């Protein structure tokens, strides 16, 4: 998430970060405080950002680093007519109040000339101490110490304010608010973008993109979900109410002006005119038993089910192999994304058999990131982010990567079909076991 936002706002990871790559504290090179504030207005992963004045492996190294920090950069925040306070944050250890005061007093060599104000200071300074990641083996002294001026906090409060528990319209698999914002940030969604979700469901992923000022739309094969009909997913509620729909969700958060529309459509048969339309495609394809994989079919095809909605709307659906879902998704993104636009989606995997070769590829899309979310000891899903780097041509329509080369796609005989069929069965079994 941070890497995506740095590419959007400017800046990069510091070379010093390699020294302590597993630390919860990251060192960034950002050209201006304004860019740093822009980054923190987006991130839900980072808690705070500071102007780093000094750091080291011990208190002595920290003090030496502070002595070398340019005085002209310090003085504007240490003036006699200013107020300040000093915070201490320790990761993986709790200090007593006496220990905290002792560490603060040790900074008396800094030329603080203002007055201490603990309630409403103009400037806030932080001592950050890293005691490692192992709660069962906490060292006496920190592995690393930082001192800096607080600039801004992240957007972690969005996780609570956009919580699915408080949302007007939800489904069985509505995306967690935190993950929704992470996906929007991976997609580098910005104001006036057009963001599309081909498996829109109840529209949870549209909300996070709309919050960042993008215009949003989506499609789904489920007529009842798009129109807010049928049985409710909320506990102690049998049927959906008359105003339970995607538009009502965006209205709930004051984002209705960014809502374009949601349409009933089969993602395997795109309905859009030719040409680049979308700045980002952010989606969570169906897999498992709570959200079945299906597409429209004909009576001649193998019929999975015939469903009738409360509006007497009938369609026939046939099975939609998981590998075909991802192949169609990448093909659609390659054709309909603008150049530099991003595709962000979840890929289910069976961990003991996982290799990076399983990740679907397309000649027009570059893999940007691959992040894992554990679901159980054996299954997980990976948040895949891809960026369009090549103009789509007809010869790219049916290509997939095999042994380092792009080959014509051969439907269900593809090398991924067996793997994803196994993943689907394992996820379905674990979901049934969890229900029991």
């Amino acid at each position: 998430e941070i890497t995506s936002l740095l590419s959007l706002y400017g800046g990069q990871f510091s070379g010093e970060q390699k020294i302590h790559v597993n630390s919860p504290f990251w060192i960034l090179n950002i050209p201006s405080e304004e860019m740093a504030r822009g980054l923190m207005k987006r991130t839900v992963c980072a808690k705070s950002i500071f102007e780093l004045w000094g750091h080291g492996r011990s208190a002595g190294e920290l003090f030496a680093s502070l002595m070398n920090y340019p005085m002209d950069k310090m003085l504007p925040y240490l003036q006699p007519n200013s107020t300040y306070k000093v915070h201490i944050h320790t990761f993986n250890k709790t200090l007593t109040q006496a220990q905290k005061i002792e560490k603060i007093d040790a900074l008396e060599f800094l030329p603080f000339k203002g007055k201490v104000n603990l309630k409403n200071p103009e400037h806030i300074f932080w001592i950050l101490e890293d005691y490692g990641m192992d709660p069962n083996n906490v060292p006496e002294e920190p592995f690393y110490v930082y001192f800096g001026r607080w600039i801004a906090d992240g957007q972690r409060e969005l996780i609570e304010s956009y919580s699915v528990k408080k949302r007007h319209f939800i489904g069985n698999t509505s995306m967690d608010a935190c993950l929704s914002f992470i996906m929007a940030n991976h997609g580098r969604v910005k104001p006036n973008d057009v963001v599309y979700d081909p498996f829109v469901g109840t529209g949870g992923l549209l909300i996070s993109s709309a919050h960042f000022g993008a215009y949003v739309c989506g499609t789904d094969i489920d007529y009842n979900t798009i129109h807010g009909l049928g049985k409710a997913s909320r506990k102690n509620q049998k049927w959906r109410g008359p105003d339970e729909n995607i538009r009502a969700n965006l209205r709930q958060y004051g984002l209705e002006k960014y809502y374009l529309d949601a349409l009933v459509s089969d993602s395997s048969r795109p309905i859009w005119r030719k040409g680049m339309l979308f700045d980002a495609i952010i989606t969570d394809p169906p897999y498992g038993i709570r959200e079945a994989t299906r597409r429209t079919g004909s009576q001649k095809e193998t019929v999975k089910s015939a469903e009738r909605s409360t509006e007497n709307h009938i369609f026939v659906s046939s099975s939609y192999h998981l590998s075909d879902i991802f192949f169609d998704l990448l093909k659609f993104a390659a054709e309909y994304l603008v150049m530099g636009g991003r595709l962000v989606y979840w890929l289910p995997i069976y961990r003991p058999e996982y290799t990076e070769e399983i990740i679907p590829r397309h000649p027009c899309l570059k893999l940007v990131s691959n992040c894992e979310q554990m679901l159980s000891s054996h299954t997980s899903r990976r948040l895949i982010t891809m960026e369009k780097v090549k103009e789509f041509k007809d010869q790219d329509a049916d290509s997939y990567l095999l042994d380092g080369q792009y080959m014509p796609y051969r439907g269900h005989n593809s090398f991924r079909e067996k793997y994803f069929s196994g993943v689907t069965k394992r996820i379905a079994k674990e979901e049934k076991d969890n229900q029991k």
Side-chain angles (χ1 to χ4, degrees), residues 82-95:
S82 65
T83 58
Y84 73 96
K85 72 174 178 180
V86 180
H87 267 301
I88 292 185
H89 175 76
T90 54
F91 186 86
N92 198 30
K93 188 170 184 176
T94 301
L95 300 180

Side-chain angles (χ1 to χ4, degrees), residues 240-422:
R240 288 181 175 135
D243 192 32
E244 285 193 51
N245 51 53
I246 297 173
R247 183 185 292 274
N249 274 352
L250 280 104
R251 185 186 304 124
Q252 176 183 352
Y253 300 111
L255 303 172
E256 188 177 2
K257 65 180 180 179
Y258 296 113
Y259 180 56
L260 298 177
D261 210 345
L263 310 172
V264 180
S265 171
D266 179 0
S267 64
S268 70
R269 294 173 169 84
I271 59 175
W272 307 100
R273 64 173 174 80
K274 297 294 182 182
M276 298 177 291
L277 294 175
F278 306 114
D279 297 283
I281 297 172
I282 299 176
T283 190
D284 181 26
Y287 43 85
I289 59 174
R290 288 186 297 168
E291 293 294 344
T293 59
R294 64 179 192 246
R295 60 180 167 188
T296 55
S298 69
Q299 296 290 356
K300 294 180 181 179
E301 295 174 330
T302 303
V303 176
K304 183 181 178 183
S305 66
E307 301 184 11
R308 183 187 300 270
S309 78
T310 55
E311 297 283 322
N312 295 322
H313 176 84
I314 300 173
F315 69 88
V316 177
S317 65
S318 61
S319 61
Y320 194 11
H321 292 270
L322 197 57
S323 60
D324 286 345
I325 289 179
F326 297 119
F327 169 74
D328 289 340
L329 178 62
L330 265 65
K331 176 183 173 183
F332 179 87
E335 185 170 1
Y336 289 98
L337 276 175
V338 301
M339 189 59 65
R342 288 194 168 187
L343 165 66
V344 184
Y345 70 95
W346 288 100
L347 179 75
I349 63 135
Y350 181 61
R351 300 186 75 237
E353 299 176 4
Y354 167 76
T355 65
E356 281 215 357
E357 292 179 1
I358 295 301
I359 300 172
R361 304 293 180 97
H362 192 280
C364 296
L365 303 172
K366 179 182 73 173
L367 180 65
V368 175
S369 68
N370 172 9
C371 308
E372 184 179 26
Q373 182 195 23
M374 295 281 291
L375 299 177
S376 72
S377 59
H378 290 87
T379 60
S380 66
R381 58 180 180 177
R382 289 186 170 265
L383 183 60
I384 305 298
T385 304
M386 308 186 87
E387 185 174 320
K388 184 172 178 178
V389 295
K390 175 186 171 185
E391 292 288 356
F392 180 84
K393 296 180 181 178
D394 290 340
Q395 59 263 36
D396 298 323
D398 295 317
S399 299
Y400 77 102
L401 189 67
L402 179 61
D403 295 332
Q405 295 184 347
Y406 285 97
M407 310 288 289
Y409 184 70
R410 298 183 179 87
H412 307 315
N413 295 323
S414 79
F415 78 108
R416 294 187 182 88
E417 180 55 42
K418 182 179 178 181
Y419 175 84
F420 283 121
S421 294

